[in-house]
Amino acid sequence: MAVRAIVISGDPVLHSPAAPVVEFDDELRLLVHDMFETMDAAPGVGLAATQVGVGLRIFTYNFQDDDDVTWRGVAINPELWITPVPAGVTQTDDEDEEDLDDEEGCLSFPGERFPLRRAESAILRAIDLDQKPFEIRADGWLARIFQHEFDHLDGTLYVDRLEHIYLKMARKVSRKRSWGQPGLSWLPGIDNLEG
């Protein structure tokens, strides 16, 4: 059991849809344990299997809400339903400071944060390591986490969803850091990057 390297934007595993989990064995349990260790060491609030180079439909999450309730678990073969963001709703420079909470980061695009609108509510349906189905109705940041991680399983990074100006900034960062190619990664606890 160990902290695994987190792959950086540009690696094909991050940009391809992940395969459903069919084998519930010791190898899967080890992967999930390592994902929790990696997420905690990064530190992050979520981690998809694709981010550690494994193309399976799994993500872990760990979040404490405003009521001090801790949401920590693993979603295997998840399905996600969201309330769409109304058409024409965009983030602008003159919005108040509260809207800065719409900024996201990603462990596979480490050290950067950009504003991104997400649906306020989501319903996650998945199974756990014991193959028991569960459902979570989430609002706010927990809904954002689920959307972010679910996107990873479909081969989409949050920077792929950015509005034009922020997308240009993200592409500039990627070029400057020589990302966008296969084989790049960082190791939490060693490289001390944040995302």
Side-chain angles (χ1 to χ4, degrees), residues 57-74:
R57 296 192 72 80
I58 306 168
F59 70 79
T60 56
Y61 55 91
N62 185 41
F63 175 71
Q64 187 171 25
D65 67 21
D66 292 337
D67 297 323
D68 292 328
V69 175
T70 298
W71 297 88
R72 184 175 175 88
V74 59

Side-chain angles (χ1 to χ4, degrees), residues 32-102:
V32 170
H33 185 275
D34 288 355
M35 287 174 63
F36 276 114
E37 281 195 27
T38 304
M39 177 181 67
D40 293 343
V45 294
L47 185 71
T50 55
Q51 292 182 274
V52 293
V54 179
L56 291 174
R57 296 192 72 80
I58 306 168
F59 70 79
T60 56
Y61 55 91
N62 185 41
F63 175 71
Q64 187 171 25
D65 67 21
D66 292 337
D67 297 323
D68 292 328
V69 175
T70 298
W71 297 88
R72 184 175 175 88
V74 59
I76 300 172
N77 296 335
E79 298 174 357
L80 192 70
W81 288 268
I82 60 170
T83 304
V85 176
V89 175
T90 59
Q91 178 118 2
T92 62
D93 292 336
D94 57 310
E95 288 182 327
D96 63 27
E97 237 177 89
E98 185 177 320
D99 289 323
L100 293 178
D101 287 340
D102 287 344

Side-chain angles (χ1 to χ4, degrees), residues 78-150:
E79 298 174 357
L80 192 70
W81 288 268
I82 60 170
T83 304
V85 176
V89 175
T90 59
Q91 178 118 2
T92 62
D93 292 336
D94 57 310
E95 288 182 327
D96 63 27
E97 237 177 89
E98 185 177 320
D99 289 323
L100 293 178
D101 287 340
D102 287 344
E103 284 191 345
E104 262 182 53
C106 180
L107 297 172
S108 291
F109 204 89
E112 301 298 323
R113 297 186 70 78
F114 296 101
L116 178 66
R117 286 276 183 195
R118 293 277 192 184
E120 279 295 313
S121 300
I123 299 172
L124 171 69
R125 290 185 184 145
I127 54 177
D128 64 17
L129 272 173
D130 297 320
Q131 300 183 57
K132 292 181 184 169
F134 67 90
E135 178 178 297
I136 299 173
R137 294 175 186 271
D139 295 304
W141 268 100
L142 186 59
R144 177 182 292 275
I145 292 165
F146 289 164
Q147 291 169 73
H148 181 108
E149 300 309 327
F150 190 83

